[in-house]
Amino acid sequence: MSPLPAFLLTVLLAAAAKSAAWLLQRRTGNAGTVDAIWAWTLGGLAVVYALAGSAPPGLRVLLAAMGGLWGLRLGVYLWRRNHGHPEDWRYAQLRAAWGPQAQFRLFWFFQFQNLFTLLLAASAFLPVAYRASTPTAAALVLAMLIWTVAVAGEALADRQMRAFRAQPAHRGRVCRRGLWRYSRHPNYFFECLHWLAYVPLALGAPWGWVSLAAPAVMAFLLTRFSGLPLLERELARRKPGYAEYMRTTSALLPWFPKRREDEAHAPERDRLL
């Protein structure tokens, strides 16, 4: 299958997946399940491009495995986090703000998200699926190394946050444990890193440079559009200590935290005592 029909097929599949997500939220009253369907859809599109492409078979198998396993893991985590639980506050706010038109607007909001889904899939997966030659051994190793670090890092960050929230004593508190000590959003950092893993597989092929758009688009979505700006405003408003966490901890790139105000004044208090 040539690239254009393959792309049009992904458009139909993405639209169908988000329509199914909309029908599901109508039945459950929880729009948050769309997040899991988004991950599964993107992972599935990697498999679709791998099946439709003309690249060497081994490379297409690698593409399907990288994209498919990433989407499967993330989708299962998001489904377990959202299904059967209260609706994510972001969707709850949209539902309340839209009132009687909520269902109509949610449908088209889900379809609007497909613009970014299709852009990510086409930029990351299509150049790999349709390149004529296998990348160099160094490029293959680099891609698999980046992918492994990204997926393992995101899974670890998710596990650490889930374990923290599972403790009743931590309700309403800020998680500063594990990776969350060095980044306010380590899961977002590793998510951006994951999309960088396809670049070594695409570069050197015609239009391979397009793969650079995938990590850039994801970074934009998470840091400027619907990730950090909305989430951090809400957390700073309702979670004590989060403003201090923002002051001392890197937003995305893991780095050593600054000293907290209570720690900075500790030596002075000790001298007074």
Side-chain angles (χ1 to χ4, degrees):
M1 185 184 296
S2 61
L4 181 58
F7 173 75
L8 294 176
L9 176 60
T10 65
V11 172
L12 292 176
L13 291 174
K18 288 299 180 67
S19 297
W22 179 76
L23 290 172
L24 180 62
Q25 68 78 33
R26 277 185 65 94
R27 184 170 65 85
T28 63
N30 186 350
T33 52
V34 72
D35 295 339
I37 293 173
W38 166 82
W40 286 330
T41 301
L42 258 177
L45 295 187
V47 177
V48 170
Y49 275 123
L51 291 172
S54 57
L59 179 59
R60 289 189 284 128
V61 169
L62 179 61
L63 173 63
M66 289 171 60
L69 290 175
W70 163 82
L72 178 63
R73 192 227 53 102
L74 182 58
V76 169
Y77 168 75
L78 293 172
W79 181 267
R80 289 176 175 172
R81 189 186 71 178
N82 293 325
H83 184 64
H85 296 279
E87 187 173 47
D88 184 285
W89 61 269
R90 289 168 292 187
Y91 293 111
Q93 284 185 352
L94 289 177
R95 196 184 296 275
W98 289 339
Q101 291 189 318
Q103 290 300 334
F104 175 80
R105 292 194 176 190
L106 277 172
F107 177 84
W108 290 110
F109 179 67
F110 286 0
Q111 298 300 333
F112 170 74
Q113 291 175 330
N114 276 335
L115 296 178
F116 300 103
T117 300
L118 294 168
L119 179 57
L120 283 168
S123 58
F125 306 145
L126 193 150
V128 180
Y130 285 91
R131 69 173 297 158
S133 60
T134 301
T136 65
L140 291 170
V141 170
L142 180 59
M144 289 186 285
L145 178 62
I146 295 172
W147 184 90
T148 301
V149 170
V151 174
E154 188 172 16
L156 177 60
D158 290 339
R159 190 179 307 115
Q160 289 172 342
M161 179 58 75
R162 185 170 61 247
F164 182 84
R165 288 176 172 171
Q167 299 296 322
H170 295 158
R171 188 177 300 277
R173 295 178 58 187
V174 177
C175 178
R176 295 176 181 264
R177 296 185 176 182
L179 295 171
W180 300 85
R181 171 176 169 80
Y182 304 99
S183 169
R184 302 199 300 272
H185 304 280
N187 53 337
Y188 287 177
F189 167 75
F190 288 112
E191 179 62 31
C192 294
L193 185 65
H194 159 257
W195 292 100
L196 193 63
Y198 303 95
V199 175
L201 301 180
L203 290 182
W207 298 96
W209 57 269
V210 171
S211 62
L212 292 167
V217 167
M218 181 53 68
F220 168 76
L221 290 175
L222 293 178
T223 63
R224 294 289 183 267
F225 188 62
S226 62
L228 270 66
L230 291 176
L231 182 59
E232 297 222 306
R233 263 200 313 271
E234 179 68 13
L235 290 175
R237 183 185 67 82
R238 64 181 173 87
K239 182 168 286 193
Y242 199 84
E244 175 73 4
Y245 184 51
M246 292 175 65
R247 188 190 70 80
T248 59
T249 309
S250 171
L252 196 67
L253 183 68
W255 193 246
F256 297 102
K258 300 175 184 178
R259 296 180 68 186
R260 295 162 61 177
E261 289 185 359
D262 54 351
E263 295 172 342
H265 294 311
E268 181 181 348
R269 290 198 303 269
D270 291 341
R271 286 197 300 271
L272 291 173
L273 292 172

PDB file of all heavy atoms in Angstrom, residues 8 47 69 73 78-79 118 128 143 156 166-167 216 232:
ATOM      1  N   LEU A   8      -4.705   7.704   4.733  1.00  0.00           N
ATOM      2  CA  LEU A   8      -6.161   7.831   4.765  1.00  0.00           C
ATOM      3  C   LEU A   8      -6.790   6.725   5.612  1.00  0.00           C
ATOM      4  O   LEU A   8      -7.790   6.957   6.303  1.00  0.00           O
ATOM      5  CB  LEU A   8      -6.720   7.792   3.339  1.00  0.00           C
ATOM      6  CG  LEU A   8      -6.322   8.985   2.450  1.00  0.00           C
ATOM      7  CD1 LEU A   8      -6.856   8.800   1.036  1.00  0.00           C
ATOM      8  CD2 LEU A   8      -6.822  10.292   3.045  1.00  0.00           C
ATOM      9  N   VAL A  47       1.390  -0.121  14.109  1.00  0.00           N
ATOM     10  CA  VAL A  47       1.251  -1.446  13.506  1.00  0.00           C
ATOM     11  C   VAL A  47       0.678  -1.337  12.091  1.00  0.00           C
ATOM     12  O   VAL A  47       1.117  -2.044  11.171  1.00  0.00           O
ATOM     13  CB  VAL A  47       0.356  -2.330  14.399  1.00  0.00           C
ATOM     14  CG1 VAL A  47       0.126  -3.693  13.746  1.00  0.00           C
ATOM     15  CG2 VAL A  47       0.987  -2.506  15.778  1.00  0.00           C
ATOM     16  N   LEU A  69       3.959  -1.760  21.558  1.00  0.00           N
ATOM     17  CA  LEU A  69       4.186  -2.034  22.981  1.00  0.00           C
ATOM     18  C   LEU A  69       4.101  -0.766  23.815  1.00  0.00           C
ATOM     19  O   LEU A  69       3.591  -0.782  24.943  1.00  0.00           O
ATOM     20  CB  LEU A  69       5.541  -2.715  23.170  1.00  0.00           C
ATOM     21  CG  LEU A  69       5.629  -4.145  22.649  1.00  0.00           C
ATOM     22  CD1 LEU A  69       7.055  -4.677  22.779  1.00  0.00           C
ATOM     23  CD2 LEU A  69       4.656  -5.054  23.399  1.00  0.00           C
ATOM     24  N   ARG A  73       1.197  -0.528  26.777  1.00  0.00           N
ATOM     25  CA  ARG A  73       1.524  -0.292  28.183  1.00  0.00           C
ATOM     26  C   ARG A  73       0.861   0.965  28.715  1.00  0.00           C
ATOM     27  O   ARG A  73       0.223   0.976  29.763  1.00  0.00           O
ATOM     28  CB  ARG A  73       3.043  -0.183  28.379  1.00  0.00           C
ATOM     29  CG  ARG A  73       3.410  -0.232  29.865  1.00  0.00           C
ATOM     30  CD  ARG A  73       4.371   0.819  30.321  1.00  0.00           C
ATOM     31  NE  ARG A  73       4.129   2.177  30.063  1.00  0.00           N
ATOM     32  CZ  ARG A  73       3.655   3.050  30.966  1.00  0.00           C
ATOM     33  NH1 ARG A  73       3.282   2.660  32.160  1.00  0.00           N
ATOM     34  NH2 ARG A  73       3.524   4.322  30.651  1.00  0.00           N
ATOM     35  N   LEU A  78      -3.443   3.940  31.761  1.00  0.00           N
ATOM     36  CA  LEU A  78      -4.441   5.004  31.778  1.00  0.00           C
ATOM     37  C   LEU A  78      -5.847   4.444  31.984  1.00  0.00           C
ATOM     38  O   LEU A  78      -6.680   5.062  32.659  1.00  0.00           O
ATOM     39  CB  LEU A  78      -4.372   5.811  30.485  1.00  0.00           C
ATOM     40  CG  LEU A  78      -3.096   6.632  30.283  1.00  0.00           C
ATOM     41  CD1 LEU A  78      -3.052   7.219  28.883  1.00  0.00           C
ATOM     42  CD2 LEU A  78      -2.994   7.741  31.326  1.00  0.00           C
ATOM     43  N   TRP A  79      -6.121   3.283  31.417  1.00  0.00           N
ATOM     44  CA  TRP A  79      -7.437   2.671  31.608  1.00  0.00           C
ATOM     45  C   TRP A  79      -7.654   2.314  33.068  1.00  0.00           C
ATOM     46  O   TRP A  79      -8.708   2.601  33.646  1.00  0.00           O
ATOM     47  CB  TRP A  79      -7.560   1.430  30.739  1.00  0.00           C
ATOM     48  CG  TRP A  79      -8.898   0.765  30.866  1.00  0.00           C
ATOM     49  CD1 TRP A  79      -9.253  -0.261  31.714  1.00  0.00           C
ATOM     50  CD2 TRP A  79     -10.088   1.111  30.148  1.00  0.00           C
ATOM     51  NE1 TRP A  79     -10.564  -0.585  31.556  1.00  0.00           N
ATOM     52  CE2 TRP A  79     -11.110   0.232  30.598  1.00  0.00           C
ATOM     53  CE3 TRP A  79     -10.377   2.051  29.159  1.00  0.00           C
ATOM     54  CZ2 TRP A  79     -12.407   0.290  30.090  1.00  0.00           C
ATOM     55  CZ3 TRP A  79     -11.674   2.103  28.659  1.00  0.00           C
ATOM     56  CH2 TRP A  79     -12.669   1.237  29.131  1.00  0.00           C
ATOM     57  N   LEU A 118      -2.841  12.011  14.420  1.00  0.00           N
ATOM     58  CA  LEU A 118      -2.425  11.698  13.051  1.00  0.00           C
ATOM     59  C   LEU A 118      -1.085  12.342  12.713  1.00  0.00           C
ATOM     60  O   LEU A 118      -0.269  11.747  11.994  1.00  0.00           O
ATOM     61  CB  LEU A 118      -3.506  12.150  12.072  1.00  0.00           C
ATOM     62  CG  LEU A 118      -4.827  11.386  12.183  1.00  0.00           C
ATOM     63  CD1 LEU A 118      -5.924  12.091  11.401  1.00  0.00           C
ATOM     64  CD2 LEU A 118      -4.655   9.952  11.695  1.00  0.00           C
ATOM     65  N   VAL A 128       9.637   5.783   8.591  1.00  0.00           N
ATOM     66  CA  VAL A 128      10.313   4.517   8.887  1.00  0.00           C
ATOM     67  C   VAL A 128       9.704   3.390   8.058  1.00  0.00           C
ATOM     68  O   VAL A 128      10.413   2.561   7.479  1.00  0.00           O
ATOM     69  CB  VAL A 128      10.222   4.185  10.388  1.00  0.00           C
ATOM     70  CG1 VAL A 128      10.922   2.868  10.693  1.00  0.00           C
ATOM     71  CG2 VAL A 128      10.812   5.310  11.222  1.00  0.00           C
ATOM     72  N   ALA A 143      18.149   3.805  18.546  1.00  0.00           N
ATOM     73  CA  ALA A 143      16.684   3.860  18.618  1.00  0.00           C
ATOM     74  C   ALA A 143      16.156   2.950  19.726  1.00  0.00           C
ATOM     75  O   ALA A 143      15.293   3.354  20.516  1.00  0.00           O
ATOM     76  CB  ALA A 143      16.084   3.464  17.274  1.00  0.00           C
ATOM     77  N   LEU A 156       8.205   3.540  35.314  1.00  0.00           N
ATOM     78  CA  LEU A 156       8.675   3.711  36.688  1.00  0.00           C
ATOM     79  C   LEU A 156       8.028   4.930  37.334  1.00  0.00           C
ATOM     80  O   LEU A 156       7.588   4.870  38.496  1.00  0.00           O
ATOM     81  CB  LEU A 156      10.197   3.848  36.704  1.00  0.00           C
ATOM     82  CG  LEU A 156      10.841   4.101  38.078  1.00  0.00           C
ATOM     83  CD1 LEU A 156      10.533   2.959  39.043  1.00  0.00           C
ATOM     84  CD2 LEU A 156      12.355   4.290  37.920  1.00  0.00           C
ATOM     85  N   ALA A 166      -1.572   5.556  46.696  1.00  0.00           N
ATOM     86  CA  ALA A 166      -2.258   4.447  47.351  1.00  0.00           C
ATOM     87  C   ALA A 166      -2.203   4.541  48.866  1.00  0.00           C
ATOM     88  O   ALA A 166      -2.972   3.856  49.548  1.00  0.00           O
ATOM     89  CB  ALA A 166      -1.661   3.113  46.893  1.00  0.00           C
ATOM     90  N   GLN A 167      -1.329   5.370  49.406  1.00  0.00           N
ATOM     91  CA  GLN A 167      -1.209   5.521  50.846  1.00  0.00           C
ATOM     92  C   GLN A 167      -2.167   6.599  51.343  1.00  0.00           C
ATOM     93  O   GLN A 167      -2.047   7.761  50.949  1.00  0.00           O
ATOM     94  CB  GLN A 167       0.230   5.900  51.221  1.00  0.00           C
ATOM     95  CG  GLN A 167       1.270   4.863  50.826  1.00  0.00           C
ATOM     96  CD  GLN A 167       1.073   3.560  51.573  1.00  0.00           C
ATOM     97  OE1 GLN A 167       0.733   3.546  52.755  1.00  0.00           O
ATOM     98  NE2 GLN A 167       1.277   2.449  50.871  1.00  0.00           N
ATOM     99  N   ALA A 216       8.820  17.158  18.875  1.00  0.00           N
ATOM    100  CA  ALA A 216       8.516  18.584  19.008  1.00  0.00           C
ATOM    101  C   ALA A 216       7.030  18.803  19.260  1.00  0.00           C
ATOM    102  O   ALA A 216       6.641  19.615  20.107  1.00  0.00           O
ATOM    103  CB  ALA A 216       8.961  19.328  17.747  1.00  0.00           C
ATOM    104  N   GLU A 232      -0.866  22.382  36.171  1.00  0.00           N
ATOM    105  CA  GLU A 232      -0.153  23.054  37.253  1.00  0.00           C
ATOM    106  C   GLU A 232      -0.971  24.196  37.854  1.00  0.00           C
ATOM    107  O   GLU A 232      -0.880  24.450  39.059  1.00  0.00           O
ATOM    108  CB  GLU A 232       1.193  23.558  36.748  1.00  0.00           C
ATOM    109  CG  GLU A 232       2.096  22.413  36.301  1.00  0.00           C
ATOM    110  CD  GLU A 232       3.521  22.596  36.731  1.00  0.00           C
ATOM    111  OE1 GLU A 232       4.077  23.663  36.418  1.00  0.00           O
ATOM    112  OE2 GLU A 232       4.077  21.673  37.368  1.00  0.00           O
TER     113      GLU A 232
END
